[in-house]
PDB file of all heavy atoms in Angstrom:
ATOM      1  N   GLY A  53     -24.279 -32.277  11.901  1.00 87.00           N
ATOM      2  CA  GLY A  53     -23.411 -31.678  12.799  1.00 87.00           C
ATOM      3  C   GLY A  53     -22.597 -32.534  13.732  1.00 87.00           C
ATOM      4  O   GLY A  53     -22.888 -33.792  13.791  1.00 87.00           O
ATOM      5  N   GLY A  54     -21.560 -31.957  14.328  1.00 84.00           N
ATOM      6  CA  GLY A  54     -20.817 -32.654  15.453  1.00 84.00           C
ATOM      7  C   GLY A  54     -19.378 -32.669  15.073  1.00 84.00           C
ATOM      8  O   GLY A  54     -19.038 -32.612  13.907  1.00 84.00           O
ATOM      9  N   ALA A  55     -18.605 -32.595  16.238  1.00 83.00           N
ATOM     10  CA  ALA A  55     -17.182 -32.695  16.139  1.00 83.00           C
ATOM     11  C   ALA A  55     -16.583 -31.615  15.268  1.00 83.00           C
ATOM     12  O   ALA A  55     -15.596 -31.741  14.535  1.00 83.00           O
ATOM     13  CB  ALA A  55     -16.672 -34.032  15.700  1.00 83.00           C
ATOM     14  N   GLY A  56     -17.054 -30.379  15.545  1.00 82.00           N
ATOM     15  CA  GLY A  56     -16.525 -29.152  14.789  1.00 82.00           C
ATOM     16  C   GLY A  56     -16.705 -29.355  13.258  1.00 82.00           C
ATOM     17  O   GLY A  56     -15.903 -28.721  12.448  1.00 82.00           O
ATOM     18  N   GLY A  57     -17.640 -29.962  12.849  1.00 88.00           N
ATOM     19  CA  GLY A  57     -17.837 -30.169  11.331  1.00 88.00           C
ATOM     20  C   GLY A  57     -17.240 -31.529  10.816  1.00 88.00           C
ATOM     21  O   GLY A  57     -17.457 -31.833   9.625  1.00 88.00           O
ATOM     22  N   ALA A  58     -16.470 -32.137  11.634  1.00 91.00           N
ATOM     23  CA  ALA A  58     -15.709 -33.333  11.022  1.00 91.00           C
ATOM     24  C   ALA A  58     -16.573 -34.465  10.682  1.00 91.00           C
ATOM     25  O   ALA A  58     -16.366 -35.180   9.820  1.00 91.00           O
ATOM     26  CB  ALA A  58     -14.675 -33.781  12.130  1.00 91.00           C
ATOM     27  N   ILE A  59     -17.764 -34.776  11.410  1.00 93.00           N
ATOM     28  CA  ILE A  59     -18.599 -35.802  11.044  1.00 93.00           C
ATOM     29  C   ILE A  59     -19.224 -35.686   9.681  1.00 93.00           C
ATOM     30  O   ILE A  59     -19.299 -36.655   8.854  1.00 93.00           O
ATOM     31  CB  ILE A  59     -19.821 -35.980  12.155  1.00 93.00           C
ATOM     32  CG1 ILE A  59     -19.223 -36.315  13.458  1.00 93.00           C
ATOM     33  CG2 ILE A  59     -20.812 -36.972  11.668  1.00 93.00           C
ATOM     34  CD1 ILE A  59     -20.190 -36.402  14.607  1.00 93.00           C
ATOM     35  N   GLY A  60     -19.784 -34.490   9.297  1.00 96.00           N
ATOM     36  CA  GLY A  60     -20.352 -34.236   8.113  1.00 96.00           C
ATOM     37  C   GLY A  60     -19.323 -34.222   6.939  1.00 96.00           C
ATOM     38  O   GLY A  60     -19.507 -34.679   5.884  1.00 96.00           O
ATOM     39  N   ALA A  61     -18.157 -33.586   7.221  1.00 96.00           N
ATOM     40  CA  ALA A  61     -17.167 -33.549   6.281  1.00 96.00           C
ATOM     41  C   ALA A  61     -16.629 -34.945   5.886  1.00 96.00           C
ATOM     42  O   ALA A  61     -16.379 -35.452   4.740  1.00 96.00           O
ATOM     43  CB  ALA A  61     -15.987 -32.644   6.775  1.00 96.00           C
ATOM     44  N   ASP A  62     -16.460 -35.812   6.957  1.00 97.00           N
ATOM     45  CA  ASP A  62     -16.020 -37.199   6.700  1.00 97.00           C
ATOM     46  C   ASP A  62     -16.987 -38.031   5.972  1.00 97.00           C
ATOM     47  O   ASP A  62     -16.716 -38.858   5.132  1.00 97.00           O
ATOM     48  CB  ASP A  62     -15.825 -37.880   8.096  1.00 97.00           C
ATOM     49  CG  ASP A  62     -15.076 -39.230   8.094  1.00 97.00           C
ATOM     50  OD1 ASP A  62     -14.100 -39.333   7.209  1.00 97.00           O
ATOM     51  OD2 ASP A  62     -15.547 -40.177   8.641  1.00 97.00           O
ATOM     52  N   LEU A  63     -18.298 -37.762   6.072  1.00 98.00           N
ATOM     53  CA  LEU A  63     -19.287 -38.406   5.338  1.00 98.00           C
ATOM     54  C   LEU A  63     -19.113 -38.139   3.865  1.00 98.00           C
ATOM     55  O   LEU A  63     -19.238 -39.069   2.983  1.00 98.00           O
ATOM     56  CB  LEU A  63     -20.709 -37.940   5.710  1.00 98.00           C
ATOM     57  CG  LEU A  63     -21.980 -38.608   5.113  1.00 98.00           C
ATOM     58  CD1 LEU A  63     -23.122 -38.397   6.118  1.00 98.00           C
ATOM     59  CD2 LEU A  63     -22.300 -37.990   3.871  1.00 98.00           C
ATOM     60  N   VAL A  64     -18.908 -36.880   3.567  1.00 98.00           N
ATOM     61  CA  VAL A  64     -18.615 -36.540   2.205  1.00 98.00           C
ATOM     62  C   VAL A  64     -17.356 -37.227   1.608  1.00 98.00           C
ATOM     63  O   VAL A  64     -17.312 -37.653   0.456  1.00 98.00           O
ATOM     64  CB  VAL A  64     -18.623 -35.051   1.933  1.00 98.00           C
ATOM     65  CG1 VAL A  64     -18.363 -34.734   0.427  1.00 98.00           C
ATOM     66  CG2 VAL A  64     -20.007 -34.446   2.380  1.00 98.00           C
ATOM     67  N   ALA A  65     -16.293 -37.202   2.560  1.00 98.00           N
ATOM     68  CA  ALA A  65     -15.007 -37.703   2.029  1.00 98.00           C
ATOM     69  C   ALA A  65     -15.117 -39.069   1.671  1.00 98.00           C
ATOM     70  O   ALA A  65     -14.336 -39.648   0.777  1.00 98.00           O
ATOM     71  CB  ALA A  65     -14.025 -37.456   3.098  1.00 98.00           C
ATOM     72  N   LYS A  66     -16.031 -39.829   2.352  1.00 98.00           N
ATOM     73  CA  LYS A  66     -16.084 -41.325   2.003  1.00 98.00           C
ATOM     74  C   LYS A  66     -17.294 -41.619   0.996  1.00 98.00           C
ATOM     75  O   LYS A  66     -17.615 -42.845   0.954  1.00 98.00           O
ATOM     76  CB  LYS A  66     -16.356 -41.979   3.401  1.00 98.00           C
ATOM     77  CG  LYS A  66     -15.077 -41.932   4.319  1.00 98.00           C
ATOM     78  CD  LYS A  66     -15.216 -42.569   5.649  1.00 98.00           C
ATOM     79  CE  LYS A  66     -13.900 -42.831   6.428  1.00 98.00           C
ATOM     80  NZ  LYS A  66     -13.199 -41.471   6.605  1.00 98.00           N
ATOM     81  N   SER A  67     -17.810 -40.599   0.429  1.00 98.00           N
ATOM     82  CA  SER A  67     -18.959 -40.809  -0.467  1.00 98.00           C
ATOM     83  C   SER A  67     -18.414 -41.064  -1.883  1.00 98.00           C
ATOM     84  O   SER A  67     -17.246 -40.691  -2.223  1.00 98.00           O
ATOM     85  CB  SER A  67     -19.860 -39.548  -0.520  1.00 98.00           C
ATOM     86  OG  SER A  67     -20.455 -39.511   0.722  1.00 98.00           O
ATOM     87  N   ALA A  68     -19.190 -41.648  -2.745  1.00 97.00           N
ATOM     88  CA  ALA A  68     -18.862 -41.843  -4.119  1.00 97.00           C
ATOM     89  C   ALA A  68     -18.607 -40.531  -4.842  1.00 97.00           C
ATOM     90  O   ALA A  68     -19.390 -39.591  -4.682  1.00 97.00           O
ATOM     91  CB  ALA A  68     -19.961 -42.611  -4.892  1.00 97.00           C
ATOM     92  N   PRO A  69     -17.576 -40.466  -5.585  1.00 97.00           N
ATOM     93  CA  PRO A  69     -17.133 -39.229  -6.236  1.00 97.00           C
ATOM     94  C   PRO A  69     -17.888 -38.982  -7.511  1.00 97.00           C
ATOM     95  O   PRO A  69     -17.242 -38.819  -8.624  1.00 97.00           O
ATOM     96  CB  PRO A  69     -15.651 -39.392  -6.473  1.00 97.00           C
ATOM     97  CG  PRO A  69     -15.452 -40.905  -6.720  1.00 97.00           C
ATOM     98  CD  PRO A  69     -16.397 -41.485  -5.754  1.00 97.00           C
ATOM     99  N   ASP A  70     -19.246 -39.014  -7.535  1.00 97.00           N
ATOM    100  CA  ASP A  70     -20.111 -38.950  -8.664  1.00 97.00           C
ATOM    101  C   ASP A  70     -20.757 -37.622  -8.762  1.00 97.00           C
ATOM    102  O   ASP A  70     -21.607 -37.387  -9.672  1.00 97.00           O
ATOM    103  CB  ASP A  70     -21.059 -40.107  -8.721  1.00 97.00           C
ATOM    104  CG  ASP A  70     -21.905 -40.107  -7.394  1.00 97.00           C
ATOM    105  OD1 ASP A  70     -21.965 -39.159  -6.614  1.00 97.00           O
ATOM    106  OD2 ASP A  70     -22.615 -41.162  -7.213  1.00 97.00           O
ATOM    107  N   GLY A  71     -20.469 -36.640  -7.864  1.00 97.00           N
ATOM    108  CA  GLY A  71     -21.160 -35.326  -7.953  1.00 97.00           C
ATOM    109  C   GLY A  71     -22.571 -35.295  -7.203  1.00 97.00           C
ATOM    110  O   GLY A  71     -23.170 -34.183  -7.316  1.00 97.00           O
ATOM    111  N   TYR A  72     -22.826 -36.362  -6.635  1.00 98.00           N
ATOM    112  CA  TYR A  72     -24.220 -36.391  -5.996  1.00 98.00           C
ATOM    113  C   TYR A  72     -24.190 -36.212  -4.501  1.00 98.00           C
ATOM    114  O   TYR A  72     -25.171 -36.202  -3.917  1.00 98.00           O
ATOM    115  CB  TYR A  72     -25.024 -37.604  -6.441  1.00 98.00           C
ATOM    116  CG  TYR A  72     -25.445 -37.590  -7.797  1.00 98.00           C
ATOM    117  CD1 TYR A  72     -24.761 -38.312  -8.749  1.00 98.00           C
ATOM    118  CD2 TYR A  72     -26.490 -36.907  -8.381  1.00 98.00           C
ATOM    119  CE1 TYR A  72     -25.037 -38.326 -10.164  1.00 98.00           C
ATOM    120  CE2 TYR A  72     -26.891 -36.709  -9.681  1.00 98.00           C
ATOM    121  CZ  TYR A  72     -26.196 -37.458 -10.563  1.00 98.00           C
ATOM    122  OH  TYR A  72     -26.580 -37.439 -11.865  1.00 98.00           O
ATOM    123  N   THR A  73     -23.021 -36.176  -3.960  1.00 98.00           N
ATOM    124  CA  THR A  73     -22.902 -35.827  -2.554  1.00 98.00           C
ATOM    125  C   THR A  73     -21.680 -34.688  -2.385  1.00 98.00           C
ATOM    126  O   THR A  73     -20.711 -34.904  -2.806  1.00 98.00           O
ATOM    127  CB  THR A  73     -22.472 -36.988  -1.709  1.00 98.00           C
ATOM    128  OG1 THR A  73     -23.452 -38.119  -1.910  1.00 98.00           O
ATOM    129  CG2 THR A  73     -22.444 -36.687  -0.232  1.00 98.00           C
ATOM    130  N   LEU A  74     -22.099 -33.587  -1.974  1.00 98.00           N
ATOM    131  CA  LEU A  74     -21.321 -32.332  -1.869  1.00 98.00           C
ATOM    132  C   LEU A  74     -21.213 -31.878  -0.467  1.00 98.00           C
ATOM    133  O   LEU A  74     -22.118 -32.130   0.445  1.00 98.00           O
ATOM    134  CB  LEU A  74     -21.752 -31.245  -2.858  1.00 98.00           C
ATOM    135  CG  LEU A  74     -21.998 -31.599  -4.349  1.00 98.00           C
ATOM    136  CD1 LEU A  74     -22.511 -30.419  -5.101  1.00 98.00           C
ATOM    137  CD2 LEU A  74     -20.630 -32.071  -4.878  1.00 98.00           C
ATOM    138  N   LEU A  75     -20.185 -31.107  -0.181  1.00 98.00           N
ATOM    139  CA  LEU A  75     -19.920 -30.533   1.179  1.00 98.00           C
ATOM    140  C   LEU A  75     -19.954 -29.080   1.129  1.00 98.00           C
ATOM    141  O   LEU A  75     -19.310 -28.486   0.227  1.00 98.00           O
ATOM    142  CB  LEU A  75     -18.544 -31.073   1.655  1.00 98.00           C
ATOM    143  CG  LEU A  75     -18.153 -30.360   3.077  1.00 98.00           C
ATOM    144  CD1 LEU A  75     -18.977 -30.983   4.158  1.00 98.00           C
ATOM    145  CD2 LEU A  75     -16.755 -30.709   3.374  1.00 98.00           C
ATOM    146  N   MET A  76     -20.741 -28.440   2.046  1.00 97.00           N
ATOM    147  CA  MET A  76     -20.547 -27.028   2.356  1.00 97.00           C
ATOM    148  C   MET A  76     -19.475 -26.890   3.215  1.00 97.00           C
ATOM    149  O   MET A  76     -19.602 -26.812   4.521  1.00 97.00           O
ATOM    150  CB  MET A  76     -21.856 -26.363   2.873  1.00 97.00           C
ATOM    151  CG  MET A  76     -21.992 -24.961   2.930  1.00 97.00           C
ATOM    152  SD  MET A  76     -22.308 -24.182   1.486  1.00 97.00           S
ATOM    153  CE  MET A  76     -20.681 -23.756   0.813  1.00 97.00           C
ATOM    154  N   GLY A  77     -18.344 -26.821   2.779  1.00 97.00           N
ATOM    155  CA  GLY A  77     -16.985 -26.828   3.597  1.00 97.00           C
ATOM    156  C   GLY A  77     -16.823 -25.322   4.178  1.00 97.00           C
ATOM    157  O   GLY A  77     -17.340 -24.329   3.662  1.00 97.00           O
TER     158      GLY A  77
END
Side-chain angles (χ1 to χ4, degrees):
I59 291 174
D62 188 49
L63 185 156
V64 176
K66 292 178 171 57
S67 296
D70 55 9
Y72 289 101
T73 303
L74 304 175
L75 174 69
M76 190 77 266

